[in-house]
Amino acid sequence: MKARTSLTPVDLAWIVAVVAFWGFSFVPIRVALNEVPPFALAALRFFFAAVPALFFVRKPAMPWRDVAAYGLAIGLFQFGLLFLGIKLGMPVGLASLVIQVQVFFTIALAVLVTGDRLTRASIAGAAIAVVGIVALAGYKLLQGMSSTLLGFALVIVAGFAWACGNIVARNAASKYKADMLSLVVWSSLVPPLPLALLSYTLEGGNAMIASVVNASWLMWGCVFLMAWGATLFGFGSWAALLHRYPVGLVAPFGLLIPVSGLICGAVFLGERLHAVQWLGVAIVLAGLVVNVFGARWFAALRTPPAATSR
């Protein structure tokens, strides 16, 4: 089958909705972390992504090792390391920007592992979007948002784990024709136990349990929003789109996550955007436009004009 070079209007709206919701999910993350420590929050997120959905969704038709690999990559390593990085000093807003290195890790792994080819549109669009990400991150750093070196490194590794999960999901869909929602649901069974053990060991033992038991309804609402919205809808949709389109076309949309996060922070948390941040948002959007429509533009440039008849 010939690889698609552009998104359909429906899939374009779909992927924008996914990354916009992921950006918004940093709001409930911020709220929930005020009551529950990071590893415990991650464990709750994936437990409720699996239960009760697994009673209604059939196990994916693929080896359990692949299901477990996806669950470990996304649940334990991506979110475990992301939340640990935040605990060790990485600000949440800056983390939402830095973790987008997953875009470039994903594209690189796709080229190395699955044989995907980079297009000029993907390269140009990613390069433009990176300029916008640098502008957003640079502004936050200049405003005093610093992080520990270890926290920063953990978020980078979390981005690599996300990229590994993307490749596992894509290969599962291609090789086994696995349903992506079922993969997300059943793989969510993997991370809760190791995350809970890490939380009990590193986050206060009985104090961690007490924080969960005594959590407010608002915290639980945040957990369910992350479990059913960000995990089931978000990762199920993302994996399905990675199966349908080349990685280089889909992955750069992850660069919209910090854009959405900044906007949602302004709307829901009262964070004001500086002109430099708005400029960064505009540059990221420009890069995504090139990524989505660039193939058509480059093709049009290569096509010689039709001869006019006399």
Side-chain angles (χ1 to χ4, degrees), residues 39 84 87 197-205:
F39 282 152
L84 179 58
K87 178 182 179 181
L197 291 175
L198 286 171
S199 181
Y200 188 85
T201 303
L202 302 175
E203 297 175 340

Side-chain angles (χ1 to χ4, degrees), residues 142-193:
L142 290 174
Q143 292 299 305
M145 291 186 68
S146 60
S147 62
T148 65
L149 179 60
L150 180 57
F152 183 87
L154 287 172
V155 175
I156 293 290
V157 178
F160 180 74
W162 186 356
C164 292
N166 287 338
I167 300 302
V168 170
R170 188 174 187 227
N171 287 344
S174 300
K175 186 175 181 179
Y176 304 107
K177 308 300 180 185
D179 177 72
M180 292 296 97
L181 178 60
S182 66
L183 172 61
V184 171
V185 169
W186 283 84
S187 67
S188 294
L189 280 173
V190 176
L193 180 57

Side-chain angles (χ1 to χ4, degrees), residues 34-81:
N34 291 332
E35 299 187 43
V36 176
F39 282 152
L41 180 62
L44 291 172
R45 169 179 179 154
F46 285 95
F47 177 81
F48 287 106
V51 180
L54 64 88
F55 297 111
F56 305 97
V57 177
R58 184 175 300 177
K59 181 183 178 295
M62 55 188 293
W64 177 249
R65 66 176 181 274
D66 293 328
V67 177
Y70 184 77
L72 290 172
I74 298 298
L76 180 60
F77 289 102
Q78 180 191 339
F79 283 97
L81 294 179

Side-chain angles (χ1 to χ4, degrees), residues 105-124:
F105 284 138
T106 298
I107 293 174
L109 287 175
V111 172
L112 294 173
V113 177
T114 67
D116 273 19
R117 294 183 178 180
L118 290 176
T119 66
R120 287 189 293 174
S122 295
I123 295 172

